[in-house]
Amino acid sequence: MKTFPFILFTTMLASWGLGIYFISIVNTPTIIIPLFDHFLWMNHYQGFLGLTLLFTITTIPLVLYAFQKRGQLRKKKSWYALFSASQLLWLATMAAQTKIIAYNLGICH
């Protein structure tokens, strides 16, 4: 139980590192984000770090709250469900970043 916040923050930092690395690769001022039925055009900062910033703002207070209430959450097994869902969210964010860079580099189309 003590390693879950460490794993979650490691995944969060990996997502930030991945986004910053992808920004350094792409030299265009706009990127294309492929969606199911259309495309979004954004600047590369919003495209690669937008979801990461949004989920960072929501994850840090959630982790701090769960850490404060860890005695109560342990009995309900909510601790594991909370961190599993957060970890899945961060892995999906990194997958989205990878999909965006692959599309913009011409690998996936």
Side-chain angles (χ1 to χ4, degrees):
M1 181 179 295
K2 292 181 182 180
T3 60
F4 278 125
F6 176 73
I7 293 170
L8 188 63
F9 283 127
T10 303
T11 310
M12 185 186 307
L13 289 175
S15 178
W16 277 100
L18 196 65
I20 292 170
Y21 175 70
F22 288 158
I23 287 172
S24 70
I25 290 175
V26 176
N27 294 327
T28 60
T30 59
I31 59 168
I32 302 169
I33 299 175
L35 298 175
F36 293 114
D37 58 347
H38 61 283
F39 300 98
L40 289 176
W41 292 73
M42 292 187 171
N43 66 16
H44 54 282
Y45 292 108
Q46 289 176 343
F48 290 123
L49 296 177
L51 278 176
T52 306
L53 180 65
L54 177 72
F55 293 145
T56 300
I57 290 171
T58 58
T59 300
I60 289 177
L62 184 71
V63 169
L64 293 175
Y65 173 77
F67 190 71
Q68 283 181 334
K69 303 289 184 178
R70 66 186 177 275
Q72 296 169 354
L73 293 175
R74 185 181 305 155
K75 297 174 187 173
K76 297 179 185 177
K77 304 287 183 188
S78 301
W79 178 268
Y80 297 108
L82 182 69
F83 281 106
S84 298
S86 298
Q87 188 70 20
L88 184 64
L89 184 79
W90 280 105
L91 292 175
T93 302
M94 288 193 295
Q97 288 173 331
T98 306
K99 179 182 177 181
I100 292 168
I101 192 68
Y103 189 84
N104 283 283
L105 291 177
I107 298 171
C108 290
H109 61 95

